[in-house]
Amino acid sequence: MLSVSHATPAEAASTRLNKRVPLVSTPEVAIEAAINFAKVGPDDIVCDLGCGLGGFCRAAARRGAHALGIDWDEANLQKARDKAEADGVGQLCTFQHRDFQAPDFDVPAEVTVMYMYLLPFALEILKPALLRAMDRGLRIVTFQFHPQYLEPVNITMFGALKLYRWGLPSMIPGRKEEEEEEADAEERIEEEEEDNSQITIEASFFETLD
């Protein structure tokens, strides 16, 4: 059972940045490529942020996965529900009205694969939520527009699709350097402690001579 909290229209309207964009659906060929790229299967729970008419969710459900579509347009969500029912995968698809631009948005913990076909400004807004989810082993696939603060582990369709596998800190720009700096700092502390211990030992030795 998917546990995603609802946001009221008033809460969505109060979002700090709520830019409306026209509905542009992912081409069928790109959807199938993204599904294969992320190796979506029956054990997965996929999430499409800005799901529109739910094409990615239906394709994932046809592979046996449970799918969650999140969008702020209730009219599109109802069309997505109707299409999922008509496609025979309604029982595997859940569509939620929620504004993922809200500051308190979090990637649902049960999601294993996330698909995003979003404009750059939305990807920037999602940065804190994506970084909070980094240790869950989440696979992220982006189409056409990609987060500049992450490095992909794989690329296909001439750069149109990029795969990010979470739980790999070295894939996050700057993270590897931060870890190396932390390791160097710890090493310096250990060396200083050893030096202090040696000074103490030497001081004790000379005190015995006195």
Side-chain angles (χ1 to χ4, degrees):
M1 191 68 178
L2 296 173
S3 58
V4 178
S5 61
H6 294 267
T8 66
E11 290 171 335
S14 66
T15 303
R16 59 192 173 90
L17 178 58
N18 190 8
K19 293 183 180 179
R20 298 290 175 173
V21 295
L23 173 63
V24 181
S25 298
T26 307
E28 288 284 341
V29 63
I31 288 176
E32 290 302 319
I35 293 290
N36 293 330
F37 198 36
K39 295 181 169 59
V40 172
D43 294 331
D44 284 310
I45 297 177
V46 307
C47 178
D48 182 1
L49 289 182
C51 65
L53 302 180
F56 183 85
C57 291
R58 295 196 306 278
R62 288 195 291 269
R63 302 290 181 95
H66 284 80
L68 168 65
I70 296 177
D71 206 287
W72 53 39
D73 191 316
E74 187 57 60
N76 286 338
L77 288 171
Q78 188 54 54
K79 292 177 183 177
R81 296 184 190 103
D82 293 342
K83 286 177 175 289
E85 289 294 335
D87 207 19
V89 293
Q91 75 281 5
L92 291 175
C93 295
T94 301
F95 295 98
Q96 299 279 357
H97 181 271
R98 191 175 181 192
D99 189 350
F100 52 82
Q101 296 180 33
D104 62 347
F105 176 80
D106 268 315
V107 178
E110 61 268 38
V111 170
T112 58
V113 177
M114 186 157 65
Y115 174 74
M116 295 183 294
Y117 179 19
L118 299 173
L119 291 175
F121 84 87
L123 294 173
E124 269 306 310
I125 291 172
L126 282 165
K127 180 177 179 179
L130 296 182
L131 294 180
R132 285 194 295 269
M134 61 182 294
D135 292 325
R136 301 176 189 168
L138 187 67
R139 287 118 66 201
I140 294 178
V141 177
T142 55
F143 176 63
Q144 195 166 348
F145 303 104
H146 314 286
Q148 298 302 306
Y149 46 87
L150 297 175
E151 292 182 14
V153 296
N154 208 349
I155 299 172
T156 190
M157 288 187 69
F158 304 100
L161 283 174
K162 295 186 179 183
L163 174 68
Y164 307 85
R165 186 178 294 277
W166 296 83
L168 297 177
S170 61
M171 292 297 99
I172 302 175
R175 175 58 61 87
K176 187 174 182 180
E177 290 78 3
E178 289 176 6
E179 291 181 342
E180 291 175 349
E181 289 176 2
E182 290 175 1
D184 290 342
E186 291 177 359
E187 186 175 344
R188 286 195 298 271
I189 291 172
E190 290 176 358
E191 290 175 353
E192 289 175 2
E193 289 177 347
E194 289 178 1
D195 291 342
N196 290 336
S197 297
Q198 184 63 34
I199 292 172
T200 302
I201 292 172
E202 291 175 357
S204 299
F205 173 75
F206 286 111
E207 285 176 1
T208 58
L209 293 181
D210 292 341

